[in-house]
Amino acid sequence: MNFKKLENPGFETIAVHAGHSGDKETGARGVPLHRSTAYLFNSAEHAQNLFALKEPGNIYTRMGNPTQEVLEDRMAALEGGAAALAVASGTNAIFYTMINICSMGDEVVSSSNLYGGTYTMFDDLLPKFGITVRFGDTNNPESFRKLINEKTRALYIETIGNPSLDVADIEAFAKLAKEYEIPLVVDSTFTTPYLLRPIEMGAHIVIHSLTKWIGGHGTAIGGIVIDSGTFNWKNPKFKLYNEADGGYHGLRFAHDLGNLNPLAFILRMRTVPLRNLGGCISPDNCWMFLQGLETLALRMERHTENALAVAKFLKNHPAVSWVRYPGMEEDAAYKKASKYLPRGAGGMVVFGVKGGREAGQRFIDKLQLFSHVANVGDAKSLAIHPASTTHSQMTDEALCAGGISPEMIRLSIGIESIEDIRNDLNQALKS
Ligand SMILES: *Cc1c(COP(=O)(O)O)cnc(C)c1O
């Protein structure tokens, strides 16, 4: 069995095979779970070479381990990237990406329609470190142009925004990034590489919360960053890559890595932020995510098929005032979804219950099959009423300004039988 000998393997094949063809030492066919904190050096010279990045290898599990490496290789292969780094959570992946590009005085232009934690990080935390984030409109890439200046070091978008489900015109953002010589960073959690591969559309860095559809069973937290290897970090405005790095014995990451230079972004993230801030992923969780990846294609097919059926069912229901699903012909994002998401528009559906905030809460209480949790991307169907939970501190006016109406229900459609999903929604809407 040698996966590397296959010519042009398909997505489903890569998801099952990339990064591991069997364990050389034991013959184990499954990916071994390596629960070791540290790894033996063969000699003093070997140790020295590993620390100097002169040869690849394992040192200490905070920086990586063999189970994690399979996950990273497989995700890089699925995204068409050059290298990847897995970390403790999606949130951690976003933070390390930001501080692996920006330092004090730098700026980022981001979509305003973001995952809640990301919005708080950008709006409140990064500014405390001297990094300013300016917010543009995802539906209008030109609004980003107005916010770009000589201090801008990155553009940031989500493939499908949370919770309003707008679809980003990635190629338009990639064009802007190219024009201004700044990297385009894309959070692709809601789409996974099965539905969309942002690097093929010009993105430079792709981020996932592995916690969601990639893990797929609501059992582990993790995140990953994939680098396309195509961005020119030699541009002197990227100080972290062109000046001697105090975090790694004076190395200039864009210049001093020899034939590893195309991997500068991920190598720096591993050796500077991850090594010294410590947000590492556990080998156990890497193993779980690899297990999830093997069935990602099958699950995404069912998630999207069920979500489209739910959206159509809700559209015609008398107790529903509006529905959003980018894969439904009537949807405002349908044109972009047909271009960027030909395999389906993902597993999320949002809709409004007639009767406002109270009706929304009552609906949630009546659900039997759906779990009421603050998560998405589980094999199980999930529901939440943002106005009374995740966004309960906001007034109705502030909610509307953020694209969240008081009656909005957010559904993450699972892979159960569609009849059971529809019946549960129907009985909860009726009461
Ligand atoms: C969940 C999520 C995150 C954060 O990931 P965690 O693994 O929970 O830290 C970031 N972005 C999006 C789009 C998400 O859905």
Side-chain angles (χ1 to χ4, degrees):
M1 152 83 234
N2 194 344
F3 168 74
K4 284 189 181 141
K5 290 213 169 121
L6 290 187
E7 243 175 84
N8 272 326
F11 183 94
E12 292 80 353
T13 311
I14 299 171
V16 175
H17 290 282
H20 185 78
S21 303
D23 190 52
K24 282 193 192 73
E25 221 159 288
T26 62
R29 184 60 191 88
V31 178
L33 166 50
H34 291 280
R35 279 195 186 126
S36 181
T37 305
Y39 288 83
L40 289 167
F41 304 124
N42 305 331
S43 65
E45 192 194 356
H46 179 221
Q48 188 179 10
N49 285 344
L50 288 178
F51 275 95
L53 305 179
K54 279 188 186 146
E55 63 180 284
N58 303 297
I59 299 177
Y60 188 69
T61 276
R62 183 172 358 99
M63 274 107 78
N65 64 75
T67 311
Q68 180 176 341
E69 194 181 339
V70 179
L71 174 66
E72 290 167 348
D73 288 354
R74 196 165 292 180
M75 281 301 297
L78 288 172
E79 289 287 4
L85 178 67
V87 293
S89 66
T91 306
N92 199 150
I94 295 164
F95 180 55
Y96 283 4
T97 298
M98 288 300 126
I99 62 167
N100 206 38
I101 300 173
C102 300
S103 48
M104 201 164 66
D106 290 341
E107 297 191 4
V108 175
V109 179
S110 169
S111 156
S112 59
N113 182 357
L114 292 171
Y115 180 75
T118 310
Y119 186 82
T120 307
M121 184 197 303
F122 285 9
D123 186 52
D124 197 56
L125 284 170
L126 291 182
K128 292 189 169 96
F129 292 90
I131 299 166
T132 304
V133 183
R134 301 182 187 280
F135 294 101
D137 175 4
T138 324
N139 289 320
N140 178 11
E142 283 304 303
S143 71
F144 276 52
R145 184 192 295 280
K146 295 195 187 82
L147 301 170
I148 296 173
N149 61 37
E150 73 286 350
K151 293 181 190 160
T152 310
R153 294 293 176 270
L155 301 183
Y156 188 95
I157 56 171
E158 291 179 359
T159 51
I160 297 184
N162 176 44
S164 72
L165 307 188
D166 291 319
V167 176
D169 183 355
I170 300 179
E171 283 176 359
F173 288 104
K175 226 169 114 190
L176 273 182
K178 194 169 180 190
E179 184 181 334
Y180 291 96
E181 297 178 44
I182 47 182
L184 173 62
V185 182
V186 177
D187 179 337
S188 190
T189 301
F190 275 32
T191 37
T192 81
Y194 178 71
L195 297 179
L196 180 63
R197 290 158 37 104
I199 289 170
E200 286 172 2
M201 307 184 156
H204 299 98
I205 312 286
V206 177
I207 297 175
H208 291 282
S209 167
L210 296 167
T211 315
K212 313 296 168 51
W213 289 268
I214 288 173
H217 300 78
T219 50
I221 302 266
I224 198 160
V225 183
I226 300 111
D227 175 25
S228 62
T230 57
F231 189 75
N232 174 27
W233 298 106
K234 288 198 168 87
N235 183 333
K237 72 183 174 185
F238 294 93
K239 288 202 203 93
L240 301 180
Y241 292 83
N242 291 280
E243 292 176 1
D245 204 313
Y248 214 77
H249 40 70
L251 199 81
R252 294 169 313 147
F253 278 87
H255 303 276
D256 299 338
L257 290 166
N259 58 1
L260 293 177
N261 260 336
L263 309 180
F265 185 81
I266 291 294
L267 271 171
R268 186 182 187 278
M269 194 182 293
R270 194 185 297 278
T271 50
V272 184
L274 178 62
R275 183 177 185 225
N276 303 295
L277 298 174
C280 59
I281 188 168
S282 75
D284 294 67
N285 283 359
C286 292
W287 191 91
M288 303 262 266
F289 294 130
L290 281 163
Q291 198 79 353
L293 270 182
E294 295 199 4
T295 56
L296 178 66
L298 290 173
R299 286 183 291 104
M300 289 314 285
E301 246 175 62
R302 178 62 65 84
H303 279 296
T304 54
E305 186 187 310
N306 280 356
L308 179 60
V310 163
K312 287 181 173 164
F313 165 75
L314 292 172
K315 185 90 201 163
N316 297 316
H317 201 287
V320 170
S321 48
W322 56 269
V323 185
R324 275 221 73 177
Y325 183 66
M328 193 161 55
E329 256 171 74
E330 307 88 320
D331 195 85
Y334 182 71
K335 229 180 110 188
K336 280 185 274 181
S338 354
K339 172 175 177 181
Y340 289 109
L341 305 164
R343 283 174 140 167
M348 300 296 294
V349 177
V350 296
F351 73 101
V353 188
K354 283 184 186 158
R357 184 185 291 258
E358 262 172 59
Q361 267 175 289
R362 237 180 305 130
F363 167 80
I364 291 276
D365 281 335
K366 292 284 179 198
L367 288 168
Q368 302 295 328
L369 176 69
F370 279 71
S371 307
H372 183 200
V373 296
N375 187 21
V376 297
D378 196 315
K380 300 168 262 312
S381 288
L382 317 174
I384 201 160
H385 177 231
S388 65
T389 55
T390 51
H391 299 72
S392 54
Q393 72 285 5
M394 294 162 83
T395 61
D396 285 1
E397 290 77 44
L399 284 173
C400 287
I404 302 157
S405 48
E407 75 280 9
M408 178 198 272
I409 302 287
R410 189 185 75 180
L411 302 177
S412 174
I413 304 300
I415 60 174
E416 302 98 333
S417 75
I418 186 63
E419 291 76 19
D420 294 331
I421 295 174
R422 265 194 304 241
N423 287 344
D424 193 34
L425 293 169
N426 195 32
Q427 64 79 20
L429 281 168
K430 274 191 177 151
S431 43

